Amino acid sequence: MNKSDAERIASVFEDAGLNETKKESEADIVITVACSVRQSGINRIYGKIKEWQDIRAKRPLTTILSGCVLKSDRKKMNKFFDLIFEINDVSKLTDFLETNIASEQKFFQIHPKYDSTFQAYVPISTGCNNFCTYCAVPYTRGREVSRPMDEIITEVQRLIEKDYKEITLLGQNVNSYGNDLKDDTTFTDLIKKIDEIEGTYRVYFYSNHPKDMSDELIEILPKLDHFPHYIHLPLQSGSDKILKSMNRHYTQKQYLELAEKIKKNVPEVAITTDIIVGFPGETEEDFFKTKQIMEKVGFSMPFIAKYSSRPGTVAAKLEDNISKEEKEKRWRELTAIQKEILSRENKKLVGENLMVLIDSEKKDKYYGRTDNYKVVELPKKQTDPIGQFVNVEIIDSEAWILKGKI
Ligand code: 5AD
Ligand code: SF4
């Protein structure tokens, strides 16, 4: 989401006649799009502030802050920035840059300066109404607002016309898309409409809430041409006690049933997830339940985070009683379990031919992802396939990577 915001902000800068530099040390203006999900992201900004103060001792430098910032951090950061603006209030930025080009536009209506020529993020909603007790988002982004469907379709159409190969629909809670719209549009309506656009492309969507996963969505997914059989379904914890304390609105049993239903309906589906370890009050027994459900579902990839208390959230009132060392230990344990699951699962892919979108290169290797989001490493050839779909034979596998040849 922050990357996507940055692409729209970059476009406002460009309209104001400013040029981007890839070298931070050369910049006259630096803008930070903050993330408040964990304290580590905010600490990085304090580190940057220190660097900028050193630069400012030698030459002028303008600093701007936007993105997700909690009130308490905003107060502390105020004096270090020349401008702080809410992401939805881009007019503050245009006034500051003395350009009025985008000032009449809503943030979503700005044409982004996409970072890539073949992969693009398209926001479909912003904000969140769920108030998971650990999460900063409802406080930094406000309530959920869905973007009108025709506006999204226009942006996706434009991207496909420009031959973009991969589009990621973004929202804090994509599968509740439309709940705030007057015309009963649902997320399923949106993806069906996108799928009708002709072209060679694939579409992902992030992130889903298990409680908003409709039967309609599960049934339609395998029937679409451009949507890989892939669902990101944040679990957060396997313990009912912790799930309740997190305000997640489902139990371990309900999550498992949902995962089973998805697997039954969507052939060879890849399910990825988010897990938090060390939430206040998480006992060994609670943690054991998370390990159990991980084995049962067999996630294609879990994004495991150590709990970080966010000022102003409901969970911040609970004692952060799991030590740093214990969080680290639990994180390692889950990572080891996952490594074993993936080593086992990935071996089954050796010998298969898979479509891979090549997206980067390093030394003598290309890297890309399969439809179900597995990273593949390929030896470099003379012809340049970056940004292209290629058919790859998987010849070897490790836990975190597949190895193949075109
Ligand atoms: N501490 C740790 N992880 C968090 N996440 C959100 N808030 C926190 C927090 N306070 C994780 C959740 C979410 C993902 C985007 O970030 O797992 O799904
Ligand atoms: Fe945060 Fe996601 Fe929960 Fe919304 S659904 S409060 S964004 S974790």
Side-chain angles (χ1 to χ4, degrees), residues 44-188:
R44 222 173 296 151
I45 300 178
Y46 284 110
K48 281 283 168 197
I49 288 173
K50 174 96 200 19
E51 269 177 41
W52 297 330
Q53 278 173 324
D54 294 343
I55 296 175
R56 275 176 157 163
K58 295 178 207 127
R59 65 172 177 89
L61 177 72
T62 301
T63 56
I64 303 177
L65 175 67
S66 192
C68 292
V69 190
L70 284 163
K71 241 192 213 146
S72 50
D73 287 312
R74 186 178 305 239
K75 268 193 206 143
K76 285 187 230 161
M77 288 179 182
N78 224 340
K79 59 175 181 288
F80 298 112
F81 286 90
D82 298 298
L83 172 73
I84 299 183
F85 72 97
E86 303 252 349
I87 201 76
N88 295 329
D89 185 12
V90 74
S91 64
K92 252 189 157 175
L93 176 65
T94 52
D95 288 351
F96 183 82
L97 297 175
E98 292 177 353
T99 169
N100 52 14
I101 293 161
S103 64
E104 296 304 310
Q105 289 178 325
K106 292 221 172 85
F107 189 66
F108 280 153
Q109 289 164 343
I110 297 169
H111 282 201
K113 187 173 180 287
Y114 300 106
D115 232 14
S116 154
T117 53
F118 57 93
Q119 291 173 309
Y121 296 111
V122 175
I124 65 163
S125 62
T126 180
C128 188
N129 298 345
N130 288 328
F131 287 94
C132 302
T133 56
Y134 50 81
C135 184
V137 167
Y139 305 93
T140 59
R141 293 249 167 196
R143 297 301 81 75
E144 183 173 284
V145 180
S146 301
R147 197 175 168 193
M149 180 147 102
D150 52 355
E151 205 179 287
I152 300 168
I153 300 289
T154 308
E155 186 173 346
V156 173
Q157 234 155 6
R158 214 185 314 125
L159 286 164
I160 295 168
E161 270 161 29
K162 286 189 189 151
D163 213 19
Y164 273 75
K165 298 286 189 286
E166 185 180 290
I167 288 162
T168 305
L169 307 175
L170 289 180
Q172 263 76 42
N173 197 10
V174 283
N175 58 343
S176 63
Y177 171 84
N179 284 357
D180 59 314
L181 294 175
K182 287 190 187 72
D183 59 2
D184 292 336
T185 314
T186 64
F187 182 63
T188 313

Side-chain angles (χ1 to χ4, degrees), residues 230-280:
Y230 171 75
I231 291 184
H232 184 65
L233 196 67
L235 163 69
Q236 312 301 359
S237 169
S239 150
D240 290 349
K241 181 191 94 192
I242 297 295
L243 286 170
K244 191 151 196 278
S245 181
M246 287 175 162
N247 192 32
R248 290 289 291 175
H249 298 283
Y250 54 85
T251 58
Q252 183 201 72
K253 185 163 172 276
Q254 284 167 327
Y255 185 97
L256 271 173
E257 282 168 2
L258 177 60
E260 282 312 312
K261 198 186 322 178
I262 293 172
K263 283 185 191 172
K264 210 172 121 211
N265 274 280
V266 189
E268 291 177 55
V269 67
I271 302 178
T272 55
T273 201
D274 292 343
I275 293 173
I276 298 175
V277 294
F279 185 81

